[in-house]
Amino acid sequence: MKNQITNYLLDHGIKPHYKGFNYAVSAIQIIIQADTYLPIKSVYTMVSEEYGVSWQCVERCIRTLIEASWRTKMPIRFIPEKPTNAEFIMDAATHIKLLLNGGDEATPSA
């Protein structure tokens, strides 16, 4: 699953040289594997435990990743302005779940 998440992020212009890249991959994987809704702070805490950093570091690094990618015209098709961390992670998780379940990426309805 990590390969699919990594490829999705790379395909959407997310650069892997940021610390937040690996944190985002882990956060998206946690959301995909969760059976129920997880608050974003809980996700940050789980990622922070995996990498031995604070949850605040995880949040800040993912935010920096999104901001840097957005400045370089990140092609997220359905979000007209820079997403919050939670929006970014949930959007990516939703699309990857669809891909993993054999479906195509969701298309906007008119």
Side-chain angles (χ1 to χ4, degrees), residues 10-101:
L10 292 172
D11 289 347
H12 286 80
I14 310 297
K15 305 293 184 205
H17 60 275
Y18 289 98
K19 283 184 189 178
F21 188 89
N22 290 328
Y23 299 162
V25 170
S26 294
I28 293 165
Q29 185 173 7
I30 289 167
I31 294 293
I32 290 171
Q33 293 174 338
D35 292 334
T36 61
Y37 169 78
L38 292 172
I40 195 68
K41 187 174 175 186
S42 296
V43 175
Y44 293 154
T45 301
M46 288 183 234
V47 173
S48 72
E49 290 169 359
E50 179 180 347
Y51 288 94
V53 297
S54 69
W55 71 265
Q56 294 93 335
C57 176
V58 171
E59 185 276 331
R60 183 177 56 250
C61 288
I62 292 174
R63 182 172 12 99
T64 299
L65 174 77
I66 294 167
E67 288 172 0
S69 299
W70 202 261
R71 283 193 306 268
T72 59
K73 301 178 183 175
M74 185 171 74
I76 292 184
R77 290 166 271 193
F78 310 124
I79 304 174
E81 53 190 50
K82 183 177 71 73
T84 65
N85 288 13
E87 289 170 338
F88 171 79
I89 292 166
M90 292 305 296
D91 183 66
T94 299
H95 288 282
I96 293 164
K97 271 186 187 180
L98 288 171
L99 293 172
L100 291 173
N101 290 332

